[in-house]
Amino acid sequence: MKKLARKWKKSGDGDGDDDRFSLPTRDDFHPIDTQEQEELVRSLENNQAQQSRLWRGVFAAILCCYSGFLIYSIYQQVLSPWELRYHAYFMDEVDSWIVISADWAAVVACSIAIAGLLIDSKYHRRWLWYSCFGGLSVAVFWLYHMSRLPRFRWDVVWLPLGPLCGAGICLYVDHLLDESSEEVRKLRGYMYAYKAM
C-alpha cells in the first residue's frame, strides 16, 4: 500500500487535482499503552460475560417452557388418562404410569440441562452431558414404543427428540460460549507481548 501511495504521489506531483486521489503516506499506527490495553481487554471481557449470561438465559428459558409443557402433559395424563392425542397413540402399548414416568424423565433431563447452563461451576459441562444421557434414554424409550405402533406417527417425533435435542443444543451453546471466553483470555495473555518486543 505504501509503494502504491508513493507511486500515486509521484505521478500526481505536477497536478494539484490528483492529490485528492492519492492515498495518505503518513503511518498512523502507534502502539497502545498498558492502560489502554487493559481497558480494551476489560471491556471485551465484560461484553463476553454479558453475552454469555444472555444466551445462557435464553436457552434456559426455552427449556423451562418445554419443561412446563411436559409438566402440563403429566398433569393431564394423571387427571384424565389418554385424553391428549400424543399420549393416546400409546394407549394399547404401555400403562399410563409409564407414560407419566417417561415425561418426568424428560423434565429431569431438561432441568439438568438448565442447571448446567446457569450454574457457574467448573463442573457445569458434566451437568450438560448428564442431561444428554438422560435425553438419550428418553429418546430410546419413545422410539421403541413408536416403532411398535401399527403406523409410525411423525406428529409425535418431538417426544423422543425434544429432551435430547434440547440438551444437545445447550451443550453446543456452552461450547461456543466457552470458546469465545477462551479467545478473550488468550487476548489478555497477549496483552504485553507487543511491549516486550
Side-chain angles (χ1 to χ4, degrees):
M1 287 298 273
K2 286 182 181 182
K3 286 181 182 177
L4 182 63
R6 277 190 228 117
K7 284 182 184 177
W8 281 358
K9 188 90 167 155
K10 286 179 185 175
S11 67
D13 277 344
D15 228 325
D17 290 337
D18 288 339
D19 287 343
R20 61 189 164 124
F21 296 116
S22 65
L23 294 173
T25 56
R26 186 174 61 95
D27 187 12
D28 290 331
F29 177 76
H30 60 83
I32 52 178
D33 64 18
T34 306
Q35 183 179 357
E36 288 174 322
Q37 288 182 43
E38 180 67 36
E39 288 172 5
L40 178 64
V41 170
R42 194 177 306 123
S43 72
L44 288 172
E45 287 172 342
N46 291 340
N47 188 24
Q48 194 278 330
Q50 183 181 11
Q51 290 294 318
S52 178
R53 281 191 303 272
L54 171 71
W55 287 110
R56 288 177 190 277
V58 165
F59 283 94
I62 291 170
L63 274 183
C64 275
C65 292
Y66 183 67
S67 296
F69 171 72
L70 289 173
I71 290 170
Y72 167 77
S73 294
I74 293 167
Y75 177 74
Q76 287 296 326
Q77 185 68 15
V78 168
L79 284 184
S80 48
W82 313 119
E83 186 177 283
L84 296 172
R85 184 175 51 133
Y86 50 87
H87 283 165
Y89 290 145
F90 304 97
M91 190 177 356
D92 299 329
E93 292 294 320
V94 291
D95 294 331
S96 178
W97 69 270
I98 295 177
V99 170
I100 292 169
S101 300
D103 283 348
W104 271 119
V107 169
V108 169
C110 291
S111 301
I112 292 171
I114 292 167
L117 279 177
L118 298 180
I119 291 176
D120 191 18
S121 163
K122 63 180 179 178
Y123 300 114
H124 73 278
R125 182 74 55 90
R126 286 186 189 174
W127 288 86
L128 294 171
W129 278 110
Y130 295 154
S131 174
C132 285
F133 294 136
L136 184 62
S137 64
V138 171
V140 167
F141 169 82
W142 282 117
L143 287 172
Y144 170 73
H145 287 292
M146 286 171 71
S147 69
R148 295 183 58 182
L149 292 173
R151 188 166 68 95
F152 192 84
R153 302 287 182 168
W154 288 102
D155 56 333
V156 293
V157 77
W158 58 269
L159 280 171
L161 297 183
L164 181 60
C165 289
I169 288 171
C170 288
L171 189 64
Y172 180 67
V173 166
D174 179 68
H175 172 71
L176 289 180
L177 292 173
D178 277 356
E179 269 189 354
S180 66
S181 177
E182 184 62 33
E183 291 299 320
V184 174
R185 275 196 293 273
K186 282 181 185 174
L187 187 63
R188 179 167 284 284
Y190 294 147
M191 243 174 60
Y192 302 104
Y194 180 80
K195 292 295 185 181
M197 293 171 67

